[in-house]
Amino acid sequence: NFNYFFANGAYDPKLWVQLADVSGSLKNIGAAYATDAFDAYFEGKKLEDGGDLKVLKVKGKLTWYASNAFNTFYKGIRFDTSGTLKALGYGYAKDSFDSFFEGEKLEDSNGNLRITKCGYAYDSFNVYYGRRKLERVTGKIKCAGGGYAVDEGDNKFYKGEQIESSVAHFNKKQLKHIGGGYAVSGNEAFYHGKKFENAGPGRKASGLKVLKGPHGKFSNWAKSKLGVVFYKGKEMSNLMGQNVELLGNGWVKAAHQTFYKGVQKRVVGSITVHGNDYATDQMDAYYKGEKMNLMGQASSFKVLGGDYAGSQSFAFYKGEKINGCTNPEKVLGKGYLKCFAKVFYNGESIQTCMNPKSL
């Protein structure tokens, strides 16, 4: 006989969920579902009448929906359907008569639901974003990218919320998501669906471009042809015309100024980004933009792995000094750190059945 557990990615056995009364061997069928000879489980909890369960897929990818001959489930919660359930993606599903989002029936849907590539869905009469039915929608809705969409009547939406805009300057041919949550349409510029500036010729947001980080991903920073710099749609007036360099992990350098997620930081010299939310200047180290107390050991600072970092004599977990750790050695696995004669998990000292010196 074996004991079975659902770990949910946790390395600490105290966080595991033990499955009760497993009959025969347990089979992992995906999306946190499992079956034995007679029953089914979700995240370690037995499902009532869940035997012979199958997880539904969309284009070969698992979803949170599962069903057998008599019951259907979403994340282990049973809900009523009529006939065979079909998963559609983005949390949507349909049966013979109705449509669902995350296991809940959609209002007024006739079951003939179609899904867009940006999370909107529509049938013959209605448009939905998640479980919310959108009002004042004309015809079909089309994606413009980044959560933006426009219908056949030139009404515009961002993640299901209607955007206030000048209709004369906003239509499906002009609306363009340019990255990082920014969009432009005619003479208007938007950030996360909110208009923040005029983008017409000669105006502050004219020719707006979103800046990319060191790995080529769009950021929250943007710059116009006139040299006006924006962070999350807010004008950074003190950076007008300045060259903005994205260093990574939220850090930005502009002329002689340094910013972390749009907030100016006083640093000594230049910032070096180490990854895992750590960074250093010539004197100090930072975790998520906040200065750490290195006790004069900045020159020996290094990232050890995961959320751990260390200096010559001290160790840190998520930017906080670990009590009782001197001479940090190495990260042993996710969450574990060997520190001379001790082992730590998530920054806390733990007991181990092995001699730490042998690890």
Side-chain angles (χ1 to χ4, degrees):
N1 293 330
F2 294 93
N3 292 323
Y4 293 95
F5 299 84
F6 178 74
N8 196 26
Y11 285 77
D12 185 354
K14 294 179 182 179
L15 302 177
W16 297 354
V17 177
Q18 184 171 1
L19 281 68
D21 303 324
V22 175
S23 301
S25 299
L26 190 72
K27 181 180 179 181
N28 175 21
I29 60 174
Y33 290 95
T35 57
D36 63 16
F38 304 105
D39 297 299
Y41 306 82
F42 180 77
E43 295 187 345
K45 298 180 181 179
K46 186 178 291 186
L47 303 180
E48 184 178 354
D49 299 325
D52 196 29
L53 201 67
K54 305 292 182 184
V55 179
L56 305 186
K57 297 181 179 181
V58 176
K59 296 181 179 179
K61 295 183 178 181
L62 295 170
T63 72
W64 295 111
Y65 288 100
S67 65
N68 58 22
F70 304 102
N71 299 291
T72 52
F73 301 86
Y74 181 81
K75 288 189 174 181
I77 298 176
R78 187 169 58 181
F79 63 99
D80 295 329
T81 59
S82 301
T84 302
L85 186 75
K86 181 180 179 181
L88 304 173
Y90 290 95
Y92 295 99
K94 67 179 182 179
D95 61 17
S96 302
F97 303 103
D98 298 300
S99 300
F100 304 85
F101 179 77
E102 295 184 349
E104 294 186 14
K105 188 180 295 186
L106 291 176
E107 180 185 0
D108 298 330
S109 177
N110 61 12
N112 188 27
L113 201 66
R114 296 178 180 271
I115 312 301
T116 68
K117 61 183 179 181
C118 54
Y120 291 86
Y122 62 92
D123 58 21
S124 303
F125 306 103
N126 302 296
V127 175
Y128 303 87
Y129 187 81
R131 60 177 52 86
R132 184 168 71 253
K133 184 174 73 170
L134 306 187
E135 305 295 337
R136 294 181 291 178
V137 179
T138 304
K140 296 180 180 179
I141 196 163
K142 293 185 178 181
C143 300
Y148 291 92
V150 62
D151 66 14
E152 294 177 348
D154 291 340
N155 297 305
K156 55 283 180 189
F157 302 86
Y158 177 74
K159 293 187 176 180
E161 296 291 339
Q162 191 162 4
I163 299 172
E164 295 183 4
S165 171
S166 170
V167 176
H169 296 301
F170 199 109
N171 60 60
K172 58 190 175 184
K173 293 182 180 180
Q174 294 177 315
L175 175 61
K176 183 180 181 181
H177 173 241
I178 60 174
Y182 289 91
V184 293
S185 179
N187 293 339
E188 296 174 318
F190 301 84
Y191 179 75
H192 283 188
K194 303 292 184 181
K195 179 184 174 182
F196 68 90
E197 191 52 79
N198 193 307
R203 306 303 291 268
K204 287 185 176 182
S206 176
L208 192 69
K209 290 187 177 181
V210 180
L211 305 183
K212 293 183 178 181
H215 300 293
K217 294 184 178 180
F218 285 114
S219 72
N220 299 127
W221 293 82
K223 190 175 183 180
S224 72
K225 283 184 177 180
L226 296 179
V228 182
V229 177
F230 301 91
Y231 178 74
K232 291 187 175 181
K234 179 182 177 181
E235 181 182 351
M236 308 292 284
S237 56
N238 56 336
L239 297 182
M240 175 71 177
Q242 299 289 343
N243 180 45
V244 178
E245 181 184 0
L246 275 65
L247 305 175
N249 280 10
W251 289 96
V252 165
K253 179 182 178 182
H256 300 293
Q257 303 176 74
T258 303
F259 297 82
Y260 179 77
K261 294 188 175 180
V263 178
Q264 188 171 359
K265 297 289 182 178
R266 297 185 66 178
V267 302
V268 180
S270 60
I271 278 285
T272 300
V273 177
H274 296 280
N276 299 342
D277 293 314
Y278 288 100
T280 55
D281 62 16
Q282 293 180 2
M283 297 294 293
D284 298 295
Y286 302 82
Y287 180 75
K288 292 187 176 180
E290 297 299 322
K291 188 179 294 186
M292 299 165 50
N293 184 8
L294 290 184
M295 303 177 187
Q297 298 186 3
S299 61
S300 63
F301 180 85
K302 62 180 179 180
V303 176
L304 301 175
D307 293 314
Y308 288 103
S311 60
Q312 183 178 352
S313 303
F314 303 104
F316 302 86
Y317 178 74
K318 294 186 176 181
E320 297 293 331
K321 182 177 176 293
I322 300 175
N323 294 324
C325 178
T326 57
N327 298 319
E329 296 181 46
K330 60 181 178 180
V331 173
L332 301 174
K334 187 175 182 181
Y336 291 95
L337 171 70
K338 181 188 176 187
C339 187
F340 189 52
K342 294 183 179 180
V343 175
F344 294 81
Y345 177 73
N346 287 351
E348 300 290 335
S349 180
I350 62 171
Q351 298 293 326
T352 175
C353 60
M354 299 180 65
N355 181 356
K357 295 182 180 180
S358 67
L359 295 176

